[in-house]
Amino acid sequence: CLRLNPHANIEVHENFLTKDNAVPLLLGYDIIVDATDNVVARYLVSDACVLAGKPLVSASALRMEGQLTVYNYQGGPCYRCVFPN
């Protein structure tokens, strides 16, 4: 990553994301990127983004296919809005 952009700032958080720490953690960032691999985590990150007022970039891949979506941006829907169950 730093070879592509030596000006990038990477912060590592070595703790689990929980309903108690998600919003305070996300408040320090402009854009949130979700690359989690389970639905429970996706809902947690999305809900925290809504509460924190942050846009969420979510990406997933399976074999040779992938998708990228931006949620909660300028009045757009959140993950829970699109996938309520």
Side-chain angles (χ1 to χ4, degrees):
C1 182
L2 291 176
R3 287 189 300 189
L4 294 174
N5 182 355
H7 305 290
N9 181 18
I10 299 171
E11 293 185 35
V12 176
H13 298 275
E14 294 185 10
N15 53 339
F16 289 104
L17 190 68
T18 68
K19 64 182 177 89
D20 296 322
N21 70 7
V23 173
L25 183 64
L26 301 184
L27 286 173
Y29 300 93
D30 297 322
I31 299 169
I32 310 306
V33 177
D34 171 26
T36 58
D37 63 350
N38 69 73
V39 176
V40 174
R42 285 191 187 116
Y43 281 110
L44 174 60
V45 173
S46 177
D47 292 346
C49 284
V50 170
L51 292 172
K54 304 293 181 175
L56 171 63
V57 177
S58 181
S60 62
L62 179 63
R63 294 186 186 94
M64 299 299 289
E65 295 183 13
Q67 66 179 18
L68 183 128
T69 308
V70 178
Y71 297 106
N72 198 45
Y73 179 69
Q74 295 185 347
C78 66
Y79 185 82
R80 189 175 294 280
C81 298
V82 176
F83 303 105
N85 298 324

Coordinates of all heavy atoms in Angstrom, one line a residue:
C1 N 0.8 -1.2 0.0 CA 0.0 0.0 0.0 C 0.9 1.3 0.0 O 0.6 2.2 -0.8 CB -0.9 0.0 1.2 SG -2.0 1.4 1.3
L2 N 1.9 1.3 0.8 CA 2.7 2.5 0.9 C 3.6 2.6 -0.3 O 4.0 3.7 -0.6 CB 3.5 2.5 2.2 CG 2.7 2.7 3.5 CD1 3.6 2.5 4.7 CD2 2.0 4.0 3.5
R3 N 3.9 1.5 -1.0 CA 4.6 1.6 -2.3 C 3.8 2.3 -3.3 O 4.3 3.1 -4.2 CB 5.0 0.3 -2.8 CG 6.1 -0.4 -2.0 CD 6.7 -1.6 -2.6 NE 5.6 -2.6 -2.7 CZ 5.8 -3.8 -3.1 NH1 6.9 -4.3 -3.3 NH2 4.7 -4.6 -3.1
L4 N 2.5 2.1 -3.3 CA 1.6 2.8 -4.3 C 1.4 4.3 -3.9 O 1.3 5.1 -4.8 CB 0.2 2.1 -4.3 CG 0.2 0.7 -4.9 CD1 -1.2 0.1 -4.7 CD2 0.6 0.7 -6.3
N5 N 1.3 4.5 -2.6 CA 1.1 5.9 -2.1 C 1.9 6.1 -0.8 O 1.4 5.8 0.3 CB -0.4 6.2 -1.9 CG -0.6 7.6 -1.5 OD1 0.3 8.4 -1.2 ND2 -1.9 8.0 -1.3
P6 N 3.1 6.6 -0.9 CA 3.9 6.8 0.3 C 3.4 7.8 1.3 O 3.8 7.9 2.4 CB 5.3 7.2 -0.3 CG 5.0 7.7 -1.6 CD 3.8 7.0 -2.1
H7 N 2.4 8.6 0.8 CA 1.8 9.6 1.7 C 0.6 9.1 2.5 O -0.1 9.8 3.2 CB 1.4 10.8 0.9 CG 2.5 11.4 0.1 ND1 3.6 12.0 0.7 CD2 2.8 11.4 -1.2 CE1 4.5 12.4 -0.3 NE2 4.0 12.0 -1.4
A8 N 0.2 7.8 2.3 CA -0.9 7.2 2.9 C -0.6 7.1 4.4 O 0.5 6.9 4.8 CB -1.3 5.9 2.4
N9 N -1.7 7.3 5.2 CA -1.6 7.1 6.7 C -2.4 5.9 7.1 O -3.6 5.9 6.9 CB -2.1 8.4 7.4 CG -2.0 8.3 8.9 OD1 -1.2 7.5 9.4 ND2 -2.7 9.1 9.5
I10 N -1.7 4.9 7.6 CA -2.4 3.6 8.0 C -2.4 3.5 9.5 O -1.3 3.6 10.1 CB -1.7 2.4 7.3 CG1 -1.7 2.5 5.8 CG2 -2.3 1.1 7.8 CD1 -0.9 1.5 5.1
E11 N -3.5 3.3 10.0 CA -3.7 3.2 11.5 C -4.2 1.8 11.7 O -5.2 1.4 11.2 CB -4.6 4.2 12.1 CG -4.0 5.6 12.0 CD -4.9 6.6 12.7 OE1 -5.5 6.2 13.7 OE2 -5.0 7.7 12.2
V12 N -3.5 1.0 12.6 CA -4.0 -0.3 12.9 C -4.7 -0.3 14.3 O -4.1 0.3 15.2 CB -2.8 -1.3 13.0 CG1 -3.2 -2.7 13.4 CG2 -2.1 -1.3 11.6
H13 N -5.8 -0.9 14.4 CA -6.6 -1.0 15.6 C -6.6 -2.5 16.0 O -7.3 -3.2 15.3 CB -8.0 -0.4 15.5 CG -8.0 1.0 15.2 ND1 -7.9 2.0 16.1 CD2 -8.0 1.7 14.0 CE1 -7.9 3.2 15.5 NE2 -8.0 3.0 14.2
E14 N -5.9 -2.9 17.0 CA -5.9 -4.3 17.4 C -6.9 -4.6 18.5 O -6.5 -5.1 19.5 CB -4.4 -4.6 17.8 CG -3.4 -4.5 16.7 CD -2.1 -4.9 17.1 OE1 -1.9 -5.5 18.2 OE2 -1.1 -4.7 16.3
N15 N -8.1 -4.4 18.1 CA -9.2 -4.7 19.0 C -10.5 -5.0 18.2 O -10.5 -4.7 17.1 CB -9.5 -3.6 20.1 CG -9.7 -2.3 19.4 OD1 -9.4 -2.0 18.3 ND2 -10.4 -1.4 20.1
F16 N -11.4 -5.8 18.8 CA -12.6 -6.1 18.1 C -13.5 -4.9 18.1 O -13.6 -4.1 19.0 CB -13.3 -7.3 18.8 CG -12.6 -8.6 18.6 CD1 -11.9 -9.1 19.7 CD2 -12.7 -9.3 17.4 CE1 -11.2 -10.3 19.5 CE2 -12.0 -10.5 17.3 CZ -11.3 -11.0 18.3
L17 N -14.2 -4.8 17.0 CA -15.2 -3.7 16.8 C -16.5 -4.2 17.5 O -17.0 -5.3 17.2 CB -15.5 -3.4 15.4 CG -16.4 -2.2 15.1 CD1 -15.6 -0.9 15.4 CD2 -16.7 -2.2 13.6
T18 N -17.0 -3.4 18.4 CA -18.2 -3.8 19.2 C -19.2 -2.7 19.1 O -18.9 -1.5 18.7 CB -17.9 -4.1 20.7 OG1 -17.5 -2.8 21.3 CG2 -16.8 -5.1 20.8
K19 N -20.4 -2.9 19.6 CA -21.5 -1.9 19.6 C -21.1 -0.7 20.5 O -21.5 0.4 20.4 CB -22.8 -2.4 20.0 CG -22.9 -3.0 21.3 CD -24.3 -3.6 21.6 CE -24.4 -4.3 22.9 NZ -24.8 -3.4 24.0
D20 N -20.2 -1.0 21.5 CA -19.8 0.0 22.5 C -18.7 0.9 22.0 O -18.6 2.1 22.3 CB -19.4 -0.7 23.8 CG -20.5 -1.4 24.5 OD1 -21.6 -0.9 24.4 OD2 -20.3 -2.5 25.0
N21 N -17.8 0.4 21.1 CA -16.7 1.2 20.7 C -16.8 1.6 19.2 O -15.9 2.4 18.7 CB -15.3 0.4 20.9 CG -15.1 -0.8 20.0 OD1 -15.9 -1.0 19.1 ND2 -14.1 -1.5 20.3
A22 N -17.8 1.2 18.5 CA -17.8 1.4 17.0 C -17.9 2.9 16.7 O -17.2 3.5 15.9 CB -18.9 0.6 16.4
V23 N -18.9 3.6 17.2 CA -19.2 5.0 16.9 C -18.0 5.8 17.3 O -17.5 6.6 16.5 CB -20.5 5.5 17.5 CG1 -20.6 7.0 17.3 CG2 -21.7 4.8 16.9
P24 N -17.5 5.8 18.6 CA -16.3 6.6 18.9 C -15.1 6.3 18.0 O -14.4 7.3 17.7 CB -16.0 6.2 20.4 CG -17.3 5.6 20.9 CD -18.0 5.0 19.7
L25 N -14.9 5.1 17.6 CA -13.8 4.8 16.8 C -13.9 5.4 15.4 O -13.0 6.0 14.8 CB -13.6 3.3 16.6 CG -12.4 2.8 15.8 CD1 -11.1 3.2 16.5 CD2 -12.5 1.3 15.7
L26 N -15.1 5.4 14.8 CA -15.4 5.9 13.5 C -15.4 7.4 13.4 O -15.2 8.0 12.3 CB -16.7 5.3 12.9 CG -16.8 3.8 12.8 CD1 -18.1 3.4 12.2 CD2 -15.7 3.2 12.1
L27 N -15.6 8.1 14.5 CA -15.7 9.5 14.5 C -14.4 10.2 14.0 O -14.4 11.3 13.5 CB -16.1 10.1 15.9 CG -17.6 9.9 16.2 CD1 -17.8 10.3 17.7 CD2 -18.5 10.6 15.3
G28 N -13.3 9.5 14.2 CA -12.0 10.1 13.8 C -11.7 10.0 12.3 O -10.6 10.4 11.9
Y29 N -12.6 9.5 11.5 CA -12.3 9.3 10.1 C -13.4 10.0 9.2 O -14.5 10.2 9.6 CB -12.3 7.8 9.8 CG -11.2 7.1 10.6 CD1 -11.5 6.5 11.8 CD2 -9.9 7.1 10.1 CE1 -10.5 5.9 12.5 CE2 -8.9 6.5 10.9 CZ -9.2 5.9 12.1 OH -8.2 5.3 12.8
D30 N -13.0 10.3 8.0 CA -13.9 10.9 7.0 C -14.8 9.9 6.3 O -15.9 10.1 6.0 CB -13.2 11.8 6.0 CG -12.4 12.9 6.7 OD1 -13.0 13.5 7.7 OD2 -11.3 13.3 6.3
I31 N -14.1 8.8 5.9 CA -14.8 7.8 5.1 C -14.4 6.4 5.8 O -13.3 6.2 6.2 CB -14.3 7.7 3.7 CG1 -14.6 9.1 3.0 CG2 -14.9 6.6 2.9 CD1 -13.9 9.3 1.6
I32 N -15.4 5.5 5.9 CA -15.2 4.2 6.5 C -15.2 3.2 5.4 O -16.1 3.2 4.5 CB -16.3 3.9 7.5 CG1 -16.5 5.1 8.5 CG2 -16.1 2.6 8.2 CD1 -15.3 5.5 9.2
V33 N -14.3 2.3 5.4 CA -14.2 1.2 4.4 C -14.5 -0.1 5.1 O -13.8 -0.4 6.1 CB -12.8 1.2 3.7 CG1 -12.7 0.0 2.8 CG2 -12.5 2.5 3.0
D34 N -15.4 -0.8 4.6 CA -15.8 -2.1 5.2 C -15.4 -3.3 4.2 O -15.8 -3.3 3.1 CB -17.3 -2.2 5.4 CG -17.8 -3.6 5.8 OD1 -17.0 -4.3 6.4 OD2 -19.0 -3.9 5.5
A35 N -14.5 -4.1 4.7 CA -14.1 -5.3 4.0 C -14.3 -6.5 4.8 O -13.5 -7.5 4.7 CB -12.6 -5.1 3.5
T36 N -15.3 -6.5 5.7 CA -15.5 -7.6 6.6 C -16.1 -8.8 5.8 O -16.6 -8.6 4.7 CB -16.5 -7.2 7.7 OG1 -17.7 -6.8 7.1 CG2 -15.9 -6.2 8.6
D37 N -16.1 -10.0 6.4 CA -16.5 -11.2 5.7 C -17.7 -11.8 6.4 O -18.0 -13.0 6.1 CB -15.4 -12.2 5.6 CG -14.9 -12.7 6.9 OD1 -15.3 -12.1 8.0 OD2 -14.1 -13.6 7.0
N38 N -18.5 -11.0 7.2 CA -19.7 -11.6 7.7 C -20.8 -10.6 7.9 O -20.5 -9.4 8.0 CB -19.4 -12.3 9.1 CG -19.1 -11.4 10.2 OD1 -19.9 -10.7 10.7 ND2 -17.8 -11.4 10.6
V39 N -22.0 -11.0 7.8 CA -23.1 -10.1 7.8 C -23.3 -9.3 9.1 O -23.6 -8.1 9.1 CB -24.4 -10.9 7.5 CG1 -25.6 -10.0 7.5 CG2 -24.3 -11.5 6.1
V40 N -23.1 -10.0 10.2 CA -23.2 -9.3 11.5 C -22.3 -8.1 11.6 O -22.7 -7.0 12.0 CB -23.0 -10.3 12.7 CG1 -23.0 -9.5 14.0 CG2 -24.0 -11.4 12.7
A41 N -21.1 -8.2 11.2 CA -20.1 -7.1 11.2 C -20.5 -6.0 10.2 O -20.4 -4.9 10.5 CB -18.7 -7.7 10.8
R42 N -21.1 -6.4 9.0 CA -21.5 -5.4 8.1 C -22.6 -4.5 8.7 O -22.6 -3.3 8.5 CB -22.0 -6.1 6.8 CG -20.9 -6.6 6.0 CD -21.4 -7.0 4.6 NE -20.2 -7.6 3.9 CZ -20.2 -8.9 3.5 NH1 -21.2 -9.6 3.7 NH2 -19.1 -9.3 2.9
Y43 N -23.6 -5.2 9.4 CA -24.7 -4.4 10.0 C -24.1 -3.5 11.1 O -24.5 -2.3 11.2 CB -25.7 -5.3 10.6 CG -26.7 -5.8 9.5 CD1 -26.7 -7.2 9.2 CD2 -27.6 -5.0 8.9 CE1 -27.6 -7.6 8.2 CE2 -28.5 -5.5 8.0 CZ -28.5 -6.8 7.6 OH -29.4 -7.3 6.7
L44 N -23.2 -4.0 11.9 CA -22.6 -3.2 12.9 C -21.9 -2.0 12.4 O -22.1 -0.8 12.8 CB -21.6 -4.0 13.8 CG -20.8 -3.3 14.8 CD1 -21.7 -2.6 15.9 CD2 -19.8 -4.2 15.5
V45 N -21.0 -2.2 11.4 CA -20.3 -1.1 10.8 C -21.3 -0.1 10.1 O -21.1 1.2 10.3 CB -19.3 -1.6 9.7 CG1 -18.6 -0.4 9.0 CG2 -18.2 -2.4 10.4
S46 N -22.2 -0.5 9.4 CA -23.2 0.3 8.8 C -24.0 1.1 9.8 O -24.2 2.4 9.6 CB -24.2 -0.5 7.9 OG -25.2 0.4 7.3
D47 N -24.5 0.5 10.8 CA -25.3 1.2 11.9 C -24.4 2.3 12.5 O -24.9 3.4 12.8 CB -25.8 0.2 12.9 CG -26.9 -0.7 12.3 OD1 -27.4 -0.5 11.2 OD2 -27.2 -1.7 13.0
A48 N -23.2 1.9 12.8 CA -22.3 2.9 13.4 C -22.0 4.1 12.5 O -21.9 5.2 13.0 CB -20.9 2.2 13.8
C49 N -21.9 3.8 11.2 CA -21.7 4.9 10.2 C -22.9 5.8 10.2 O -22.8 7.1 10.1 CB -21.4 4.3 8.8 SG -19.8 3.7 8.6
V50 N -24.1 5.3 10.3 CA -25.3 6.1 10.3 C -25.3 7.0 11.5 O -25.5 8.2 11.5 CB -26.6 5.2 10.2 CG1 -27.8 6.0 10.5 CG2 -26.7 4.5 8.9
L51 N -25.0 6.4 12.7 CA -25.0 7.2 13.9 C -23.9 8.2 13.9 O -24.1 9.3 14.5 CB -24.8 6.2 15.1 CG -26.0 5.3 15.4 CD1 -25.6 4.3 16.5 CD2 -27.2 6.1 15.8
A52 N -22.8 7.9 13.3 CA -21.6 8.8 13.3 C -21.7 9.8 12.1 O -20.9 10.8 12.0 CB -20.3 8.1 13.2
G53 N -22.7 9.6 11.2 CA -22.8 10.5 10.0 C -21.7 10.3 9.0 O -21.3 11.3 8.4
K54 N -21.2 9.1 8.9 CA -20.1 8.8 8.0 C -20.5 8.0 6.8 O -21.3 7.1 6.9 CB -18.9 8.1 8.7 CG -18.4 8.7 10.0 CD -17.7 10.0 9.6 CE -17.2 10.7 10.9 NZ -16.4 11.8 10.6
P55 N -20.0 8.3 5.6 CA -20.2 7.4 4.4 C -19.5 6.1 4.6 O -18.4 6.1 5.2 CB -19.7 8.2 3.2 CG -18.7 9.2 3.8 CD -19.1 9.5 5.2
L56 N -20.0 5.1 4.0 CA -19.5 3.7 4.1 C -19.2 3.2 2.8 O -20.1 3.1 1.9 CB -20.4 2.8 4.9 CG -20.1 1.3 4.9 CD1 -18.8 1.1 5.6 CD2 -21.2 0.5 5.6
V57 N -18.0 2.8 2.5 CA -17.6 2.1 1.2 C -17.5 0.6 1.6 O -16.7 0.3 2.4 CB -16.3 2.7 0.7 CG1 -15.9 1.9 -0.6 CG2 -16.4 4.1 0.4
S58 N -18.3 -0.2 1.0 CA -18.3 -1.6 1.3 C -18.0 -2.4 0.0 O -18.5 -2.1 -1.1 CB -19.7 -2.0 1.7 OG -19.8 -3.4 2.1
A59 N -17.1 -3.4 0.2 CA -16.6 -4.2 -0.9 C -16.6 -5.6 -0.6 O -16.4 -6.0 0.6 CB -15.2 -3.7 -1.4
S60 N -16.9 -6.5 -1.5 CA -16.9 -7.9 -1.3 C -16.5 -8.6 -2.6 O -16.7 -8.0 -3.7 CB -18.2 -8.4 -0.8 OG -19.2 -8.2 -1.7
A61 N -16.0 -9.8 -2.5 CA -15.5 -10.6 -3.7 C -15.8 -12.0 -3.4 O -15.7 -12.5 -2.3 CB -14.1 -10.3 -3.9
L62 N -16.2 -12.7 -4.5 CA -16.4 -14.1 -4.4 C -15.9 -14.7 -5.8 O -16.5 -14.4 -6.8 CB -17.8 -14.5 -4.2 CG -18.2 -16.0 -4.1 CD1 -17.5 -16.7 -3.0 CD2 -19.7 -16.1 -4.0
R63 N -14.9 -15.5 -5.7 CA -14.2 -16.1 -6.9 C -13.8 -15.0 -7.9 O -13.0 -14.2 -7.6 CB -15.2 -17.1 -7.5 CG -15.4 -18.3 -6.7 CD -16.2 -19.4 -7.4 NE -16.5 -20.5 -6.4 CZ -17.6 -20.6 -5.7 NH1 -18.5 -19.6 -5.9 NH2 -17.8 -21.6 -4.9
M64 N -14.4 -14.9 -9.0 CA -14.1 -13.9 -10.0 C -15.0 -12.7 -10.1 O -15.0 -12.0 -11.1 CB -14.0 -14.6 -11.4 CG -13.0 -15.7 -11.5 SD -11.3 -15.2 -11.2 CE -11.0 -14.2 -12.6
E65 N -15.9 -12.6 -9.1 CA -16.8 -11.5 -9.1 C -16.6 -10.6 -7.9 O -16.2 -11.1 -6.9 CB -18.2 -12.0 -9.1 CG -18.6 -12.8 -10.4 CD -20.1 -13.2 -10.4 OE1 -20.8 -12.7 -9.6 OE2 -20.4 -14.0 -11.3
G66 N -16.9 -9.4 -8.0 CA -16.8 -8.5 -6.9 C -17.8 -7.4 -7.0 O -18.4 -7.1 -8.1
Q67 N -18.0 -6.7 -5.9 CA -18.9 -5.5 -5.9 C -18.4 -4.5 -4.9 O -17.7 -4.8 -4.0 CB -20.3 -5.9 -5.6 CG -20.6 -6.4 -4.2 CD -22.0 -6.7 -3.9 OE1 -22.8 -6.9 -4.8 NE2 -22.3 -6.8 -2.6
L68 N -18.7 -3.2 -5.2 CA -18.3 -2.1 -4.4 C -19.5 -1.2 -4.3 O -20.1 -0.9 -5.4 CB -17.1 -1.4 -5.0 CG -16.6 -0.2 -4.1 CD1 -15.2 -0.4 -3.8 CD2 -17.0 1.1 -4.7
T69 N -19.9 -0.8 -3.1 CA -21.1 0.0 -3.0 C -20.8 1.1 -1.9 O -20.0 0.9 -1.0 CB -22.3 -0.8 -2.4 OG1 -22.5 -1.9 -3.3 CG2 -23.6 0.0 -2.4
V70 N -21.3 2.3 -2.1 CA -21.2 3.4 -1.2 C -22.6 3.6 -0.5 O -23.6 3.8 -1.2 CB -20.8 4.7 -1.8 CG1 -20.7 5.8 -0.8 CG2 -19.4 4.5 -2.5
Y71 N -22.6 3.5 0.8 CA -23.8 3.6 1.6 C -23.7 4.9 2.4 O -22.6 5.4 2.8 CB -24.0 2.4 2.6 CG -24.2 1.1 1.9 CD1 -23.1 0.2 1.9 CD2 -25.4 0.8 1.2 CE1 -23.3 -1.1 1.2 CE2 -25.5 -0.5 0.6 CZ -24.5 -1.4 0.6 OH -24.6 -2.6 0.0
N72 N -24.9 5.4 2.8 CA -25.0 6.5 3.8 C -24.2 7.7 3.3 O -23.6 8.4 4.0 CB -24.5 6.1 5.1 CG -25.0 7.0 6.2 OD1 -26.2 7.4 6.2 ND2 -24.1 7.4 7.1
Y73 N -24.3 8.0 2.0 CA -23.6 9.2 1.4 C -24.6 10.2 0.9 O -25.4 9.8 0.0 CB -22.7 8.7 0.3 CG -21.9 9.8 -0.3 CD1 -20.9 10.5 0.4 CD2 -22.1 10.2 -1.6 CE1 -20.2 11.6 -0.2 CE2 -21.4 11.3 -2.2 CZ -20.5 11.9 -1.5 OH -19.8 13.0 -2.0
Q74 N -24.6 11.4 1.4 CA -25.4 12.5 0.9 C -26.9 12.1 0.8 O -27.5 12.3 -0.2 CB -24.9 13.0 -0.4 CG -23.5 13.7 -0.3 CD -23.1 14.3 -1.6 OE1 -23.7 14.1 -2.7 NE2 -22.0 15.1 -1.5
G75 N -27.4 11.5 1.9 CA -28.8 11.1 1.9 C -29.1 9.8 1.3 O -30.3 9.4 1.2
G76 N -28.1 9.1 0.8 CA -28.4 7.8 0.2 C -28.7 6.7 1.3 O -28.5 7.0 2.5
P77 N -29.1 5.5 0.8 CA -29.5 4.5 1.8 C -28.3 3.9 2.5 O -27.2 3.9 2.0 CB -30.2 3.5 0.9 CG -29.5 3.6 -0.4 CD -29.3 5.1 -0.5
C78 N -28.5 3.3 3.7 CA -27.5 2.6 4.4 C -27.6 1.1 4.1 O -28.6 0.7 3.4 CB -27.7 2.8 5.9 SG -29.2 2.2 6.6
Y79 N -26.7 0.3 4.6 CA -26.8 -1.1 4.3 C -28.1 -1.7 4.8 O -28.7 -2.5 4.2 CB -25.5 -1.8 5.0 CG -25.4 -3.3 4.7 CD1 -24.8 -3.7 3.5 CD2 -25.9 -4.2 5.6 CE1 -24.7 -5.1 3.2 CE2 -25.7 -5.6 5.4 CZ -25.2 -6.0 4.2 OH -25.1 -7.3 3.9
R80 N -28.5 -1.4 6.0 CA -29.7 -1.9 6.6 C -30.9 -1.5 5.8 O -31.9 -2.2 5.7 CB -29.8 -1.5 8.1 CG -30.9 -2.2 8.8 CD -31.0 -1.8 10.3 NE -29.8 -2.2 11.0 CZ -29.6 -3.5 11.5 NH1 -30.5 -4.4 11.3 NH2 -28.5 -3.8 12.2
C81 N -30.9 -0.3 5.2 CA -32.0 0.2 4.3 C -32.1 -0.7 3.1 O -33.3 -1.0 2.7 CB -31.7 1.6 3.9 SG -31.7 2.8 5.2
V82 N -31.0 -1.1 2.5 CA -31.0 -1.9 1.3 C -31.3 -3.4 1.7 O -32.0 -4.1 0.9 CB -29.7 -1.8 0.6 CG1 -29.6 -2.7 -0.6 CG2 -29.5 -0.3 0.1
F83 N -30.7 -3.9 2.8 CA -30.9 -5.3 3.2 C -31.4 -5.3 4.6 O -30.7 -5.5 5.6 CB -29.5 -6.0 3.2 CG -28.8 -6.0 1.8 CD1 -27.8 -5.1 1.6 CD2 -29.3 -6.8 0.8 CE1 -27.1 -5.1 0.4 CE2 -28.7 -6.7 -0.4 CZ -27.6 -5.9 -0.7
P84 N -32.7 -5.1 4.8 CA -33.3 -5.0 6.1 C -33.3 -6.3 6.9 O -33.4 -6.2 8.2 CB -34.8 -4.6 5.9 CG -35.0 -4.9 4.5 CD -33.7 -4.9 3.7
N85 N -33.1 -7.4 6.3 CA -33.2 -8.7 7.1 C -31.8 -9.3 7.2 O -31.2 -9.8 6.4 CB -34.2 -9.7 6.5 CG -35.6 -9.1 6.5 OD1 -35.9 -8.4 7.5 ND2 -36.3 -9.4 5.5

